[in-house]
mmCIF file of all heavy atoms in Angstrom:
data_model
loop_
_atom_site.group_PDB
_atom_site.id
_atom_site.type_symbol
_atom_site.label_atom_id
_atom_site.label_comp_id
_atom_site.label_asym_id
_atom_site.label_seq_id
_atom_site.Cartn_x
_atom_site.Cartn_y
_atom_site.Cartn_z
ATOM 1 N N LEU A 1070 -49.865 -22.892 -82.558
ATOM 2 C CA LEU A 1070 -49.957 -24.305 -82.377
ATOM 3 C C LEU A 1070 -49.207 -24.724 -81.065
ATOM 4 O O LEU A 1070 -49.667 -25.552 -80.343
ATOM 5 C CB LEU A 1070 -49.326 -25.037 -83.589
ATOM 6 C CG LEU A 1070 -49.373 -26.567 -83.504
ATOM 7 C CD1 LEU A 1070 -50.839 -27.047 -83.357
ATOM 8 C CD2 LEU A 1070 -48.794 -27.146 -84.784
ATOM 9 N N ALA A 1071 -48.033 -24.081 -80.859
ATOM 10 C CA ALA A 1071 -47.318 -24.496 -79.584
ATOM 11 C C ALA A 1071 -48.058 -24.010 -78.387
ATOM 12 O O ALA A 1071 -48.085 -24.765 -77.363
ATOM 13 C CB ALA A 1071 -45.916 -23.645 -79.679
ATOM 14 N N PHE A 1072 -48.757 -22.828 -78.545
ATOM 15 C CA PHE A 1072 -49.473 -22.416 -77.260
ATOM 16 C C PHE A 1072 -50.671 -23.406 -77.019
ATOM 17 O O PHE A 1072 -50.897 -23.785 -75.813
ATOM 18 C CB PHE A 1072 -50.093 -20.953 -77.547
ATOM 19 C CG PHE A 1072 -51.010 -20.453 -76.511
ATOM 20 C CD1 PHE A 1072 -50.516 -20.036 -75.358
ATOM 21 C CD2 PHE A 1072 -52.313 -20.394 -76.791
ATOM 22 C CE1 PHE A 1072 -51.453 -19.497 -74.320
ATOM 23 C CE2 PHE A 1072 -53.300 -19.887 -75.758
ATOM 24 C CZ PHE A 1072 -52.771 -19.435 -74.582
ATOM 25 N N PHE A 1073 -51.423 -23.638 -78.009
ATOM 26 C CA PHE A 1073 -52.687 -24.474 -77.790
ATOM 27 C C PHE A 1073 -52.317 -25.903 -77.509
ATOM 28 O O PHE A 1073 -52.985 -26.655 -76.775
ATOM 29 C CB PHE A 1073 -53.718 -24.378 -78.906
ATOM 30 C CG PHE A 1073 -54.443 -23.103 -78.870
ATOM 31 C CD1 PHE A 1073 -54.114 -22.092 -79.655
ATOM 32 C CD2 PHE A 1073 -55.505 -22.938 -77.965
ATOM 33 C CE1 PHE A 1073 -54.934 -20.921 -79.639
ATOM 34 C CE2 PHE A 1073 -56.293 -21.794 -77.966
ATOM 35 C CZ PHE A 1073 -55.913 -20.768 -78.726
ATOM 36 N N THR A 1074 -51.158 -26.380 -78.045
ATOM 37 C CA THR A 1074 -50.681 -27.728 -77.686
ATOM 38 C C THR A 1074 -50.360 -27.745 -76.175
ATOM 39 O O THR A 1074 -50.666 -28.753 -75.388
ATOM 40 C CB THR A 1074 -49.306 -28.049 -78.411
ATOM 41 O OG1 THR A 1074 -49.760 -28.063 -79.791
ATOM 42 C CG2 THR A 1074 -48.871 -29.439 -78.007
ATOM 43 N N LYS A 1075 -49.710 -26.678 -75.604
ATOM 44 C CA LYS A 1075 -49.403 -26.595 -74.094
ATOM 45 C C LYS A 1075 -50.645 -26.554 -73.335
ATOM 46 O O LYS A 1075 -50.823 -27.271 -72.335
ATOM 47 C CB LYS A 1075 -48.534 -25.375 -73.970
ATOM 48 C CG LYS A 1075 -48.072 -25.288 -72.489
ATOM 49 C CD LYS A 1075 -46.973 -24.162 -72.354
ATOM 50 C CE LYS A 1075 -46.438 -24.244 -70.836
ATOM 51 N NZ LYS A 1075 -45.383 -23.275 -70.723
ATOM 52 N N ILE A 1076 -51.723 -25.763 -73.751
ATOM 53 C CA ILE A 1076 -52.912 -25.712 -73.062
ATOM 54 C C ILE A 1076 -53.556 -27.086 -73.084
ATOM 55 O O ILE A 1076 -54.093 -27.544 -72.046
ATOM 56 C CB ILE A 1076 -53.879 -24.657 -73.704
ATOM 57 C CG1 ILE A 1076 -53.258 -23.290 -73.509
ATOM 58 C CG2 ILE A 1076 -55.288 -24.734 -73.135
ATOM 59 C CD1 ILE A 1076 -53.206 -22.778 -72.157
ATOM 60 N N ARG A 1077 -53.605 -27.672 -74.186
ATOM 61 C CA ARG A 1077 -54.244 -29.014 -74.273
ATOM 62 C C ARG A 1077 -53.522 -29.987 -73.352
ATOM 63 O O ARG A 1077 -54.201 -30.867 -72.646
ATOM 64 C CB ARG A 1077 -54.132 -29.567 -75.715
ATOM 65 C CG ARG A 1077 -54.818 -31.043 -75.898
ATOM 66 C CD ARG A 1077 -54.371 -31.724 -77.161
ATOM 67 N NE ARG A 1077 -52.914 -31.879 -77.159
ATOM 68 C CZ ARG A 1077 -52.245 -32.309 -78.225
ATOM 69 N NH1 ARG A 1077 -52.985 -32.552 -79.423
ATOM 70 N NH2 ARG A 1077 -50.964 -32.454 -78.265
ATOM 71 N N ASN A 1078 -52.225 -30.008 -73.338
ATOM 72 C CA ASN A 1078 -51.550 -30.907 -72.442
ATOM 73 C C ASN A 1078 -51.763 -30.603 -70.979
ATOM 74 O O ASN A 1078 -51.799 -31.576 -70.180
ATOM 75 C CB ASN A 1078 -49.989 -30.719 -72.725
ATOM 76 C CG ASN A 1078 -49.639 -31.340 -74.033
ATOM 77 O OD1 ASN A 1078 -50.361 -32.039 -74.710
ATOM 78 N ND2 ASN A 1078 -48.435 -30.928 -74.579
ATOM 79 N N LEU A 1079 -51.949 -29.358 -70.671
ATOM 80 C CA LEU A 1079 -52.185 -29.008 -69.252
ATOM 81 C C LEU A 1079 -53.661 -29.537 -68.852
ATOM 82 O O LEU A 1079 -53.823 -29.999 -67.678
ATOM 83 C CB LEU A 1079 -52.304 -27.469 -68.978
ATOM 84 C CG LEU A 1079 -50.861 -26.840 -69.058
ATOM 85 C CD1 LEU A 1079 -50.882 -25.313 -69.031
ATOM 86 C CD2 LEU A 1079 -50.087 -27.253 -67.840
ATOM 87 N N PHE A 1080 -54.604 -29.471 -69.793
ATOM 88 C CA PHE A 1080 -55.976 -29.991 -69.462
ATOM 89 C C PHE A 1080 -55.991 -31.478 -69.632
ATOM 90 O O PHE A 1080 -56.797 -32.096 -68.944
ATOM 91 C CB PHE A 1080 -56.989 -29.311 -70.454
ATOM 92 C CG PHE A 1080 -57.489 -28.000 -70.031
ATOM 93 C CD1 PHE A 1080 -56.800 -26.821 -70.208
ATOM 94 C CD2 PHE A 1080 -58.666 -27.972 -69.445
ATOM 95 C CE1 PHE A 1080 -57.241 -25.638 -69.772
ATOM 96 C CE2 PHE A 1080 -59.256 -26.726 -68.999
ATOM 97 C CZ PHE A 1080 -58.452 -25.544 -69.137
ATOM 98 N N GLU A 1081 -55.096 -32.043 -70.443
ATOM 99 C CA GLU A 1081 -55.119 -33.510 -70.722
ATOM 100 C C GLU A 1081 -54.832 -34.189 -69.384
ATOM 101 O O GLU A 1081 -55.339 -35.406 -69.169
ATOM 102 C CB GLU A 1081 -54.106 -33.781 -71.800
ATOM 103 C CG GLU A 1081 -54.174 -35.256 -72.282
ATOM 104 C CD GLU A 1081 -55.358 -35.438 -73.185
ATOM 105 O OE1 GLU A 1081 -55.613 -34.554 -73.969
ATOM 106 O OE2 GLU A 1081 -55.985 -36.535 -73.051
ATOM 107 N N GLU A 1082 -54.017 -33.704 -68.494
ATOM 108 C CA GLU A 1082 -53.681 -34.315 -67.241
ATOM 109 C C GLU A 1082 -55.003 -34.562 -66.442
ATOM 110 O O GLU A 1082 -55.059 -35.479 -65.625
ATOM 111 C CB GLU A 1082 -52.825 -33.471 -66.363
ATOM 112 C CG GLU A 1082 -51.480 -33.173 -67.028
ATOM 113 C CD GLU A 1082 -50.659 -32.216 -66.238
ATOM 114 O OE1 GLU A 1082 -50.900 -31.958 -65.121
ATOM 115 O OE2 GLU A 1082 -49.745 -31.555 -66.891
ATOM 116 N N HIS A 1083 -56.039 -33.815 -66.669
ATOM 117 C CA HIS A 1083 -57.326 -33.874 -65.902
ATOM 118 C C HIS A 1083 -58.544 -33.885 -66.810
ATOM 119 O O HIS A 1083 -59.561 -33.281 -66.620
ATOM 120 C CB HIS A 1083 -57.468 -32.739 -64.934
ATOM 121 C CG HIS A 1083 -56.278 -32.510 -64.094
ATOM 122 N ND1 HIS A 1083 -55.932 -33.375 -62.986
ATOM 123 C CD2 HIS A 1083 -55.361 -31.562 -64.123
ATOM 124 C CE1 HIS A 1083 -54.829 -32.953 -62.374
ATOM 125 N NE2 HIS A 1083 -54.455 -31.866 -63.010
ATOM 126 N N LYS A 1084 -58.368 -34.661 -68.042
ATOM 127 C CA LYS A 1084 -59.353 -34.553 -69.031
ATOM 128 C C LYS A 1084 -60.667 -35.170 -68.534
ATOM 129 O O LYS A 1084 -61.824 -34.526 -68.746
ATOM 130 C CB LYS A 1084 -58.902 -35.503 -70.289
ATOM 131 C CG LYS A 1084 -59.924 -35.480 -71.389
ATOM 132 C CD LYS A 1084 -59.419 -36.119 -72.636
ATOM 133 C CE LYS A 1084 -60.313 -35.975 -73.712
ATOM 134 N NZ LYS A 1084 -59.793 -36.537 -75.011
ATOM 135 N N ASP A 1085 -60.729 -36.374 -67.818
ATOM 136 C CA ASP A 1085 -61.913 -36.910 -67.312
ATOM 137 C C ASP A 1085 -62.646 -35.946 -66.392
ATOM 138 O O ASP A 1085 -63.827 -35.884 -66.308
ATOM 139 C CB ASP A 1085 -61.658 -38.222 -66.712
ATOM 140 C CG ASP A 1085 -61.265 -39.323 -67.679
ATOM 141 O OD1 ASP A 1085 -61.497 -39.152 -68.833
ATOM 142 O OD2 ASP A 1085 -60.632 -40.314 -67.248
ATOM 143 N N LEU A 1086 -61.829 -35.281 -65.555
ATOM 144 C CA LEU A 1086 -62.443 -34.388 -64.510
ATOM 145 C C LEU A 1086 -63.070 -33.190 -65.216
ATOM 146 O O LEU A 1086 -64.114 -32.799 -64.862
ATOM 147 C CB LEU A 1086 -61.230 -33.926 -63.573
ATOM 148 C CG LEU A 1086 -61.777 -32.905 -62.537
ATOM 149 C CD1 LEU A 1086 -62.769 -33.354 -61.673
ATOM 150 C CD2 LEU A 1086 -60.542 -32.332 -61.753
ATOM 151 N N CYS A 1087 -62.311 -32.596 -66.237
ATOM 152 C CA CYS A 1087 -62.840 -31.476 -66.945
ATOM 153 C C CYS A 1087 -64.175 -31.807 -67.649
ATOM 154 O O CYS A 1087 -65.107 -31.009 -67.607
ATOM 155 C CB CYS A 1087 -61.847 -31.015 -68.016
ATOM 156 S SG CYS A 1087 -60.362 -30.204 -67.281
ATOM 157 N N GLN A 1088 -64.192 -32.920 -68.256
ATOM 158 C CA GLN A 1088 -65.391 -33.459 -68.918
ATOM 159 C C GLN A 1088 -66.617 -33.609 -68.030
ATOM 160 O O GLN A 1088 -67.668 -33.231 -68.375
ATOM 161 C CB GLN A 1088 -65.152 -34.732 -69.747
ATOM 162 C CG GLN A 1088 -64.142 -34.494 -70.909
ATOM 163 C CD GLN A 1088 -63.910 -35.845 -71.662
ATOM 164 O OE1 GLN A 1088 -63.820 -36.837 -71.118
ATOM 165 N NE2 GLN A 1088 -63.683 -35.808 -72.930
ATOM 166 N N LYS A 1089 -66.290 -34.149 -66.862
ATOM 167 C CA LYS A 1089 -67.279 -34.419 -65.827
ATOM 168 C C LYS A 1089 -67.869 -33.077 -65.302
ATOM 169 O O LYS A 1089 -69.112 -32.889 -65.161
ATOM 170 C CB LYS A 1089 -66.712 -35.217 -64.714
ATOM 171 C CG LYS A 1089 -67.774 -35.651 -63.734
ATOM 172 C CD LYS A 1089 -67.175 -36.804 -62.816
ATOM 173 C CE LYS A 1089 -67.025 -38.038 -63.496
ATOM 174 N NZ LYS A 1089 -66.635 -39.187 -62.586
ATOM 175 N N LEU A 1090 -66.926 -32.108 -65.008
ATOM 176 C CA LEU A 1090 -67.399 -30.817 -64.538
ATOM 177 C C LEU A 1090 -68.175 -30.077 -65.587
ATOM 178 O O LEU A 1090 -69.185 -29.321 -65.288
ATOM 179 C CB LEU A 1090 -66.221 -29.964 -64.091
ATOM 180 C CG LEU A 1090 -65.486 -30.488 -62.846
ATOM 181 C CD1 LEU A 1090 -64.228 -29.616 -62.563
ATOM 182 C CD2 LEU A 1090 -66.412 -30.406 -61.616
ATOM 183 N N MET A 1091 -67.804 -30.160 -66.780
ATOM 184 C CA MET A 1091 -68.515 -29.512 -67.958
ATOM 185 C C MET A 1091 -69.872 -30.052 -68.131
ATOM 186 O O MET A 1091 -70.793 -29.391 -68.584
ATOM 187 C CB MET A 1091 -67.596 -29.581 -69.279
ATOM 188 C CG MET A 1091 -66.451 -28.697 -69.274
ATOM 189 S SD MET A 1091 -66.903 -26.939 -69.428
ATOM 190 C CE MET A 1091 -67.564 -26.884 -71.028
ATOM 191 N N SER A 1092 -69.980 -31.311 -67.840
ATOM 192 C CA SER A 1092 -71.421 -32.038 -68.183
ATOM 193 C C SER A 1092 -72.330 -31.894 -66.929
ATOM 194 O O SER A 1092 -73.527 -32.174 -67.224
ATOM 195 C CB SER A 1092 -71.126 -33.536 -68.466
ATOM 196 O OG SER A 1092 -70.640 -34.225 -67.305
ATOM 197 N N ASP A 1093 -71.880 -31.460 -65.772
ATOM 198 C CA ASP A 1093 -72.711 -31.232 -64.652
ATOM 199 C C ASP A 1093 -73.215 -29.824 -64.613
ATOM 200 O O ASP A 1093 -72.418 -28.908 -64.571
ATOM 201 C CB ASP A 1093 -72.026 -31.667 -63.389
ATOM 202 C CG ASP A 1093 -72.855 -31.632 -62.152
ATOM 203 O OD1 ASP A 1093 -73.359 -30.588 -61.782
ATOM 204 O OD2 ASP A 1093 -73.153 -32.685 -61.640
ATOM 205 N N GLN A 1094 -74.530 -29.547 -64.599
ATOM 206 C CA GLN A 1094 -74.988 -28.201 -64.675
ATOM 207 C C GLN A 1094 -74.548 -27.383 -63.467
ATOM 208 O O GLN A 1094 -74.164 -26.197 -63.709
ATOM 209 C CB GLN A 1094 -76.575 -28.190 -64.673
ATOM 210 C CG GLN A 1094 -77.213 -26.815 -64.940
ATOM 211 C CD GLN A 1094 -78.681 -26.917 -65.116
ATOM 212 O OE1 GLN A 1094 -79.295 -27.956 -65.022
ATOM 213 N NE2 GLN A 1094 -79.242 -25.751 -65.258
ATOM 214 N N ASN A 1095 -74.539 -27.923 -62.246
ATOM 215 C CA ASN A 1095 -74.122 -27.048 -61.063
ATOM 216 C C ASN A 1095 -72.666 -26.723 -61.120
ATOM 217 O O ASN A 1095 -72.204 -25.572 -60.906
ATOM 218 C CB ASN A 1095 -74.471 -27.972 -59.824
ATOM 219 C CG ASN A 1095 -75.913 -28.149 -59.589
ATOM 220 O OD1 ASN A 1095 -76.691 -27.172 -59.976
ATOM 221 N ND2 ASN A 1095 -76.311 -29.134 -59.000
ATOM 222 N N SER A 1096 -71.816 -27.774 -61.509
ATOM 223 C CA SER A 1096 -70.374 -27.407 -61.474
ATOM 224 C C SER A 1096 -70.039 -26.619 -62.694
ATOM 225 O O SER A 1096 -69.122 -25.724 -62.570
ATOM 226 C CB SER A 1096 -69.619 -28.790 -61.509
ATOM 227 O OG SER A 1096 -69.933 -29.625 -62.612
ATOM 228 N N ARG A 1097 -70.770 -26.710 -63.704
ATOM 229 C CA ARG A 1097 -70.465 -25.900 -64.959
ATOM 230 C C ARG A 1097 -70.680 -24.379 -64.614
ATOM 231 O O ARG A 1097 -69.959 -23.539 -65.110
ATOM 232 C CB ARG A 1097 -71.313 -26.371 -66.164
ATOM 233 C CG ARG A 1097 -70.984 -25.628 -67.430
ATOM 234 C CD ARG A 1097 -71.672 -26.261 -68.614
ATOM 235 N NE ARG A 1097 -71.192 -25.662 -69.793
ATOM 236 C CZ ARG A 1097 -71.081 -26.291 -71.020
ATOM 237 N NH1 ARG A 1097 -71.344 -27.534 -71.087
ATOM 238 N NH2 ARG A 1097 -70.694 -25.612 -72.084
ATOM 239 N N TYR A 1098 -71.621 -24.111 -63.766
ATOM 240 C CA TYR A 1098 -71.941 -22.787 -63.430
ATOM 241 C C TYR A 1098 -70.845 -22.193 -62.629
ATOM 242 O O TYR A 1098 -70.304 -21.042 -62.912
ATOM 243 C CB TYR A 1098 -73.224 -22.683 -62.616
ATOM 244 C CG TYR A 1098 -73.441 -21.370 -61.943
ATOM 245 C CD1 TYR A 1098 -73.821 -20.258 -62.675
ATOM 246 C CD2 TYR A 1098 -73.249 -21.190 -60.499
ATOM 247 C CE1 TYR A 1098 -74.007 -18.955 -62.071
ATOM 248 C CE2 TYR A 1098 -73.469 -19.962 -59.915
ATOM 249 C CZ TYR A 1098 -73.829 -18.885 -60.679
ATOM 250 O OH TYR A 1098 -74.005 -17.659 -60.103
ATOM 251 N N VAL A 1099 -70.251 -22.973 -61.663
ATOM 252 C CA VAL A 1099 -69.108 -22.544 -60.881
ATOM 253 C C VAL A 1099 -67.904 -22.461 -61.699
ATOM 254 O O VAL A 1099 -67.084 -21.530 -61.550
ATOM 255 C CB VAL A 1099 -68.879 -23.513 -59.725
ATOM 256 C CG1 VAL A 1099 -67.675 -23.048 -58.864
ATOM 257 C CG2 VAL A 1099 -70.118 -23.559 -58.779
ATOM 258 N N MET A 1100 -67.752 -23.324 -62.709
ATOM 259 C CA MET A 1100 -66.668 -23.384 -63.564
ATOM 260 C C MET A 1100 -66.554 -22.139 -64.403
ATOM 261 O O MET A 1100 -65.504 -21.529 -64.643
ATOM 262 C CB MET A 1100 -66.694 -24.669 -64.478
ATOM 263 C CG MET A 1100 -65.353 -25.038 -65.133
ATOM 264 S SD MET A 1100 -65.571 -26.534 -66.046
ATOM 265 C CE MET A 1100 -63.831 -26.912 -66.403
ATOM 266 N N GLN A 1101 -67.761 -21.683 -64.871
ATOM 267 C CA GLN A 1101 -67.868 -20.488 -65.707
ATOM 268 C C GLN A 1101 -67.488 -19.215 -64.887
ATOM 269 O O GLN A 1101 -66.780 -18.414 -65.384
ATOM 270 C CB GLN A 1101 -69.239 -20.259 -66.154
ATOM 271 C CG GLN A 1101 -69.469 -19.106 -67.110
ATOM 272 C CD GLN A 1101 -68.673 -19.198 -68.376
ATOM 273 O OE1 GLN A 1101 -68.620 -20.251 -68.994
ATOM 274 N NE2 GLN A 1101 -68.149 -18.097 -68.785
ATOM 275 N N ARG A 1102 -67.941 -19.203 -63.684
ATOM 276 C CA ARG A 1102 -67.523 -18.081 -62.816
ATOM 277 C C ARG A 1102 -66.038 -18.026 -62.530
ATOM 278 O O ARG A 1102 -65.364 -16.950 -62.502
ATOM 279 C CB ARG A 1102 -68.227 -18.189 -61.355
ATOM 280 C CG ARG A 1102 -69.719 -17.789 -61.392
ATOM 281 C CD ARG A 1102 -70.316 -18.037 -60.002
ATOM 282 N NE ARG A 1102 -69.601 -17.497 -59.014
ATOM 283 C CZ ARG A 1102 -69.362 -18.185 -57.882
ATOM 284 N NH1 ARG A 1102 -69.771 -19.295 -57.670
ATOM 285 N NH2 ARG A 1102 -68.618 -17.488 -56.919
ATOM 286 N N ALA A 1103 -65.370 -19.221 -62.353
ATOM 287 C CA ALA A 1103 -63.962 -19.354 -62.149
ATOM 288 C C ALA A 1103 -63.176 -18.830 -63.457
ATOM 289 O O ALA A 1103 -62.190 -18.189 -63.307
ATOM 290 C CB ALA A 1103 -63.588 -20.750 -61.819
ATOM 291 N N MET A 1104 -63.758 -19.141 -64.563
ATOM 292 C CA MET A 1104 -63.131 -18.730 -65.847
ATOM 293 C C MET A 1104 -63.204 -17.221 -65.889
ATOM 294 O O MET A 1104 -62.148 -16.549 -66.374
ATOM 295 C CB MET A 1104 -63.877 -19.348 -67.034
ATOM 296 C CG MET A 1104 -63.602 -20.800 -67.228
ATOM 297 S SD MET A 1104 -64.644 -21.453 -68.657
ATOM 298 C CE MET A 1104 -64.606 -23.086 -68.337
ATOM 299 N N GLU A 1105 -64.285 -16.664 -65.568
ATOM 300 C CA GLU A 1105 -64.479 -15.197 -65.668
ATOM 301 C C GLU A 1105 -63.407 -14.557 -64.663
ATOM 302 O O GLU A 1105 -62.909 -13.462 -65.006
ATOM 303 C CB GLU A 1105 -65.871 -14.835 -65.259
ATOM 304 C CG GLU A 1105 -66.879 -15.240 -66.421
ATOM 305 C CD GLU A 1105 -68.284 -14.998 -66.024
ATOM 306 O OE1 GLU A 1105 -68.652 -14.478 -64.880
ATOM 307 O OE2 GLU A 1105 -69.246 -15.397 -66.824
ATOM 308 N N GLU A 1106 -63.264 -15.037 -63.547
ATOM 309 C CA GLU A 1106 -62.314 -14.603 -62.479
ATOM 310 C C GLU A 1106 -60.916 -14.583 -63.119
ATOM 311 O O GLU A 1106 -60.129 -13.633 -62.929
ATOM 312 C CB GLU A 1106 -62.405 -15.300 -61.243
ATOM 313 C CG GLU A 1106 -61.399 -14.980 -60.156
ATOM 314 C CD GLU A 1106 -61.605 -13.631 -59.489
ATOM 315 O OE1 GLU A 1106 -62.745 -13.073 -59.721
ATOM 316 O OE2 GLU A 1106 -60.710 -13.149 -58.847
#
C-alpha cells in the first residue's frame, strides 16, 4: 500500500498529462517504448 500510494502520488502530479498521452495512439506507442526501456 505504501509503495503504490507513492507511485500514485508521483503520477498524480501529472494526471491530466498521463491520461492525455495514454489516450493518443501515437504518444501511447512512444510511452510503451519508454516503459520498456
Side-chain angles (χ1 to χ4, degrees):
L1070 185 58
F1072 175 77
F1073 282 102
T1074 297
K1075 186 169 186 177
I1076 293 294
R1077 180 197 59 189
N1078 291 342
L1079 289 171
F1080 274 80
E1081 193 71 42
E1082 297 173 21
H1083 308 289
K1084 183 172 185 177
D1085 292 341
L1086 176 62
C1087 289
Q1088 290 176 327
K1089 188 169 288 188
L1090 290 173
M1091 285 290 291
S1092 63
D1093 186 292
Q1094 186 174 0
N1095 291 331
S1096 59
R1097 186 165 184 153
Y1098 168 72
V1099 180
M1100 199 173 188
Q1101 183 62 42
R1102 284 176 50 224
M1104 288 178 198
E1105 290 173 3
E1106 174 72 11

